[in-house]
């Protein structure tokens, strides 16, 4: 498909393959970094709201701004929110919960089913900041994987979390989760939870690339299933894509950037996509961008209709 | 033929390896859970906490009770605190539960780990106050009784009883805790003036005995025989107040 020309390698669409070049201007760099800046602002901002509410008594009209932590919380003393995976584990311990937490889990489930399940991972989970740092250092040092580990193992961990919850009578993952330890101790006071987070960092840095978030984490596995129906997706334009592969080099879940599937669906359809936006900003051809699933589908249909119409028009002509 | 055999073997090996990994991982994982659960009896929970095993299952570790507590009594257990991780607890010697009548921590709990039906804070059972008589000032014959006076359910949860004193004619006035009323708020433990608190709140399961149904306390049961004992006991003469005072005021103490 790809051929040689005096410009270098050509993509399947006949355009020259260009590598990603970091802009030299600061504003250009900011544009490339825009999603990572937004993501850090969201992640740290939410933690700050939690921290301010419990430690500095932040309130609006005498209502606490955001009380609790990422396992369960209440916005302005009105809207309950809860971690649906934690609630699922408690459900497996065969305990009946109050409606408040069930409503909260339902709200969060609906939000992430809409935004993309693993949008949680890239935009909210505090461990993401640690594993992104590990991945960055790893790229700098050029560390290779210590051994190979299938990415489907997280679904085994997910199943194990539910089975152990049923057998031991406690929410199995919540009791050892480095994610909960991390945000809880950042909000309510530092204990030894950082050792678990350090373990995740070292595992990701030296043992396996994206080892925790991409291979083991059962919460990510849970949200990957929620993300199957996600409405916010990265759309893919096969017309402009030169198959340069820059996106897959940086993507923490490169299997979701399968070109055949992406071409077929017109988007990155896999629930394992975290909507982190890295591929969008690194793409030298601007072939990838955030879009709505229904919009992408509608476009795809109209295009295929065009394709069907064109030959008949030709025949008519 | 041989090819299909080897793929079948490969498949079975894969299944075996997967199952072995999951089983090993599951064993280590459940060991970690058991290690944490073992520390459960040493944690004093917020008012209205349901039974230990139910609480361990229901608490989602969100800390909304901690947010709601106006006295900063409650904390979430951190890794390394030797209390099941992320669950709320309090240390009475630092900050006891001041027994808010509206029980804001219970109201804040979204899961029901803190019993929603708890209406009266005096019905809560966070623990049980226990007195170390070897180190209690009152038991040394001093007039302390601070715990009795500080107790929010004074004269119900803690009463002061007189007790004979070996080296003196004077009685000692000693505090006595009644488990029927003690909420385990820990205000007594906070108030105790000794260097290390001589009255402490502990999970009742660790200290409270049970007589059992096979013992019958005859004087508490109404039978013809016990009636006879009671009537005899009533006729027994008590020493008059005057004689008692004379005894105390005459001669050596």
């Amino acid at each position: 498909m790809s051929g040689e020309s005096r410009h270098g390698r050509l993509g399947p669409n006949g355009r020259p393959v260009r590598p990603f070049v970091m802009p030299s201007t600061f504003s250009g760099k900011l544009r490339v970094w825009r999603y990572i800046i937004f993501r850090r602002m969201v992640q740290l901002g939410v933690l700050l709201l939690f921290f301010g509410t419990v430690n500095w008594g932040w309130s609006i009209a005498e209502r606490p701004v955001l009380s609790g932590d990422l396992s369960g919380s209440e916005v302005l003393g009105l809207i309950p929110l809860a971690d649906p995976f934690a609630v699922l584990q408690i459900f497996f311990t065969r305990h009946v919960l109050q409606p408040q937490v069930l409503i909260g889990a339902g709200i969060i489930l609906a939000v992430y089913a809409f935004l993309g399940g693993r949008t949680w991972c890239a935009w909210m989970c505090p461990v993401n900041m640690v594993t992104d740092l590990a991945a960055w250092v790893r790229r700098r040092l050029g560390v290779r994987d210590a051994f190979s580990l299938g990415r489907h193992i997280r679904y085994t961990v997910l199943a194990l979390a539910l089975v152990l919850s049923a057998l031991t009578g406690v929410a199995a993952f919540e009791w050892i989760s480095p994610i909960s330890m991390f945000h809880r101790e950042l909000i309510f006071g530092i204990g030894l939870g950082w050792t678990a987070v350090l373990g995740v960092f070292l595992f990701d840095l030296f043992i396996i690339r994206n080892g925790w978030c991409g291979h083991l984490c059962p919460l990510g596995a849970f949200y990957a299933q929620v993300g199957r129906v996600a409405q916010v997706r990265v759309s893919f334009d096969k017309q402009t894509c030169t198959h340069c592969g820059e996106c897959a080099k940086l993507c923490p879940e490169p299997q979701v950037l399968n070109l055949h599937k992406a071409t077929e669906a017109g988007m990155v359809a896999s629930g394992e996509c975290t909507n982190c936006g890295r591929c969008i900003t690194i793409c030298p051809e601007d072939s990838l961008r955030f879009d709505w699933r229904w919009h992408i589908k509608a476009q795809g249909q109209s295009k295929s209709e065009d394709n069907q119409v064109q030959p008949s028009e030709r025949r008519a002509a | 033929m041989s090819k299909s055999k080897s793929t079948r073997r490969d498949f079975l090996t894969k299944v075996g390896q997967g199952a072995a990994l999951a089983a090993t991982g599951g064993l280590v994982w459940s060991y970690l859970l058991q290690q944490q659960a073992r520390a459960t009896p040493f944690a004093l929970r917020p008012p209205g906490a349901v039974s230990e095993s139910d609480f361990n299952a229901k608490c989602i570790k969100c800390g909304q009770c901690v947010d709601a507590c106006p006295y900063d009594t409650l904390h979430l257990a951190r890794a390394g605190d030797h209390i099941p991780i992320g669950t709320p607890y309090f240390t009475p010697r630092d900050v006891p539960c001041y027994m808010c009548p509206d029980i804001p921590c219970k109201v804040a709990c979204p899961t029901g780990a803190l019993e929603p039906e708890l209406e009266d804070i005096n019905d809560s059972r966070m623990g049980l106050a226990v007195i170390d008589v070897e180190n209690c000032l009152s038991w040394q014959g001093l007039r302390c009784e601070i715990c009795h006076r500080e107790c929010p359910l004074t004269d119900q949860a803690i009463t002061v009883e007189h007790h004979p004193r070996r080296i003196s004619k004077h009685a000692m006035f000693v505090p006595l805790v009644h488990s029927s009323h003690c909420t385990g708020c820990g205000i007594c433990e906070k108030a105790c003036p000794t260097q290390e608190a001589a009255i402490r709140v502990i999970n009742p399961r660790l200290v409270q005995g049970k007589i059992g149904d096979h013992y019958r306390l005859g004087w508490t049961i109404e039978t013809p025989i016990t009636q006879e004992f009671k009537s005899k006991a009533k006729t027994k003469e008590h020493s008059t107040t005057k004689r008692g005072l004379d005894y105390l005021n005459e001669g050596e103490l």
Side-chain angles (χ1 to χ4, degrees):
Chain A
M1 291 282 270
S2 62
E4 296 290 328
S5 76
R6 61 197 166 97
H7 300 291
R9 211 151 57 86
L10 290 180
N13 58 0
R15 296 187 196 185
V17 177
R18 300 180 297 176
F20 169 75
V21 181
M22 180 60 96
S24 53
T25 60
F26 183 66
S27 62
K29 284 190 170 101
L30 272 187
R31 226 186 104 69
V32 171
W33 292 333
R34 64 188 188 275
Y35 288 124
I36 203 160
I37 293 169
F38 288 157
R39 291 198 288 123
R40 295 297 174 260
M41 279 165 67
V42 172
Q43 283 163 329
L44 294 171
V46 168
L47 281 178
L48 186 67
L49 285 179
F50 279 125
F51 188 89
T53 304
V54 66
N55 292 296
W56 302 322
W58 283 3
S59 58
I60 295 171
E62 292 186 16
R63 290 176 174 280
V65 174
L66 187 60
S67 110
D69 62 21
L70 289 168
S71 299
S73 59
E74 202 170 44
V75 183
L76 295 170
L78 289 172
I79 308 160
L81 302 172
D83 173 358
F85 182 49
V87 169
L88 184 67
Q89 290 168 70
I90 298 173
F91 176 76
F92 268 75
T93 68
R94 298 180 297 279
H95 281 82
V96 181
L97 293 175
Q98 289 295 300
Q100 198 185 346
V101 76
L102 298 178
I103 294 167
I107 292 173
I108 290 294
L109 204 59
V111 165
Y112 284 114
F114 182 74
L115 292 179
R118 295 202 64 202
T119 301
W120 149 269
C121 301
W123 291 77
M124 196 61 77
C125 181
V127 171
N128 170 261
M129 294 188 273
V130 175
T131 55
D132 275 0
L133 180 67
W136 183 77
V137 176
R138 196 188 173 88
R139 274 199 301 277
R140 288 283 157 121
L141 299 180
V143 184
R144 287 169 180 274
D145 281 5
F147 55 89
S148 75
L149 196 64
R151 282 181 182 266
H152 56 272
I153 199 164
R154 54 186 149 194
Y155 299 108
T156 313
V157 180
L158 171 64
L160 212 52
L162 298 179
V163 170
L164 286 179
S165 296
L167 290 179
T168 61
V170 297
F173 183 59
E174 291 313 298
W175 277 47
I176 60 159
S177 163
I179 306 162
S180 306
M181 273 185 226
F182 194 33
H183 63 71
R184 198 163 51 227
E185 294 194 357
L186 285 177
I187 296 163
F188 292 102
I190 305 281
L192 286 178
W194 63 269
T195 54
V197 179
L198 181 67
V200 168
F201 177 77
L202 293 176
F203 183 70
D204 268 32
L205 177 53
F206 292 117
I207 313 295
I208 288 168
R209 177 177 177 234
N210 303 121
W212 172 255
C213 303
H215 296 75
L216 292 177
C217 178
L219 183 57
F222 172 82
Y223 275 125
Q225 295 308 307
V226 175
R228 281 162 168 261
V229 293
Q231 292 306 310
V232 176
R233 291 284 72 169
V234 175
S235 73
F236 173 66
D237 184 359
K238 65 177 176 190
Q239 309 295 336
T240 53
C241 174
T242 62
H243 294 202
C244 68
E246 292 283 4
C247 51
K249 268 187 240 165
L250 201 61
C251 180
E253 300 277 350
Q255 77 282 4
V256 306
L257 286 166
N258 180 313
L259 282 170
H260 289 292
K261 285 184 184 169
T263 307
E264 216 168 84
M267 64 181 150
V268 179
S270 169
E272 284 169 3
C273 170
T274 66
N275 279 355
C276 68
R278 280 187 184 87
C279 55
I280 297 172
T281 53
I282 204 163
C283 180
E285 312 298 336
D286 290 330
S287 302
L288 298 157
R289 60 191 179 86
F290 280 128
D291 205 341
W292 307 106
R293 181 188 284 263
W294 69 79
H295 188 231
I296 298 165
K297 275 191 173 169
Q299 274 189 331
Q301 275 171 2
S302 69
K303 267 181 195 164
S304 63
E305 274 165 22
D306 286 352
N307 291 343
Q308 282 169 357
V309 169
Q310 275 167 2
S312 61
E313 276 178 345
R314 262 183 228 137
R315 247 177 263 141
Chain B
M1 192 67 192
S2 65
K3 198 186 171 191
S4 78
K5 227 180 197 176
S6 82
T7 50
R8 190 187 298 153
R9 180 176 288 177
D10 285 353
F11 174 73
L12 288 174
T13 313
K14 276 259 155 86
V15 169
Q17 284 173 333
L21 262 178
T24 314
L27 271 176
V28 175
W29 193 340
S30 58
Y31 174 76
L32 288 174
L33 299 178
Q34 277 174 358
Q35 274 298 102
Q36 284 199 47
R38 212 169 278 173
T40 302
F42 303 102
L44 296 179
R45 300 303 189 191
V50 292
S51 77
E52 279 175 34
S53 61
D54 286 350
F55 186 84
N56 279 344
K58 280 187 170 182
C59 175
I60 199 167
K61 307 162 196 284
C62 67
Q64 289 187 64
C65 52
V66 177
D67 271 10
C69 177
Y71 297 101
D72 290 336
T73 299
L74 298 174
H75 299 282
L76 289 190
R78 301 165 300 183
D81 275 347
H82 303 294
I83 289 171
I85 201 161
T87 53
Y89 72 99
F90 71 104
T91 311
R93 191 65 165 170
D94 297 338
V95 188
C97 170
Y98 287 104
M99 308 236 289
C100 313
D102 52 344
I103 327 178
C105 49
K106 178 216 74 171
V107 175
C109 179
T111 64
L114 303 181
E115 188 61 72
E117 271 97 63
L118 179 72
E119 294 290 336
D120 185 352
I121 185 68
N122 294 336
D123 292 336
S124 63
R125 291 292 178 270
M126 295 168 263
L128 178 63
V130 176
I131 296 167
D132 170 11
V133 296
E134 285 187 340
N135 290 294
C136 171
L137 294 178
S138 294
W139 277 90
Q140 314 312 310
L142 301 172
R143 292 301 303 272
C144 173
E145 300 139 37
I146 288 176
C147 53
H148 168 249
R149 274 177 283 122
E150 291 290 317
C151 177
L153 293 174
T154 186
D155 285 330
Q156 294 176 78
I158 301 181
T159 55
V160 167
E161 308 287 332
H162 48 82
H163 189 271
R165 192 183 194 186
R166 202 165 37 160
I167 56 156
S168 162
K169 289 175 184 173
H170 290 282
M172 297 190 296
F173 290 90
V174 296
L176 189 66
V177 179
H178 301 274
S179 64
S180 54
H181 287 87
C182 177
T183 62
C185 68
I187 292 174
C188 54
E189 183 176 335
K190 172 75 177 166
C192 183
T194 52
Q195 188 180 332
E196 300 284 337
I199 185 166
R200 295 179 181 206
V201 177
I202 295 175
N203 183 331
R205 195 159 71 77
L206 297 180
V207 286
Q208 204 169 24
K210 188 185 179 186
I211 293 175
D213 298 333
H214 57 298
Y215 277 102
R216 291 182 156 224
L217 307 179
W219 58 94
T220 63
I221 307 165
E222 296 295 329
T223 67
I225 300 168
T226 53
Q227 283 299 324
E228 207 173 296
F229 286 147
K230 272 185 184 167
S231 58
K232 275 182 186 168
K234 270 176 194 165
T235 56
K236 193 184 168 191
E237 267 190 37
H238 290 277
S239 56
T240 64
T241 315
K242 192 172 181 307
R243 275 186 63 188
L245 281 174
D246 288 347
Y247 168 72
L248 282 176
N249 292 326
E250 284 165 10
E252 291 178 18
L253 283 175

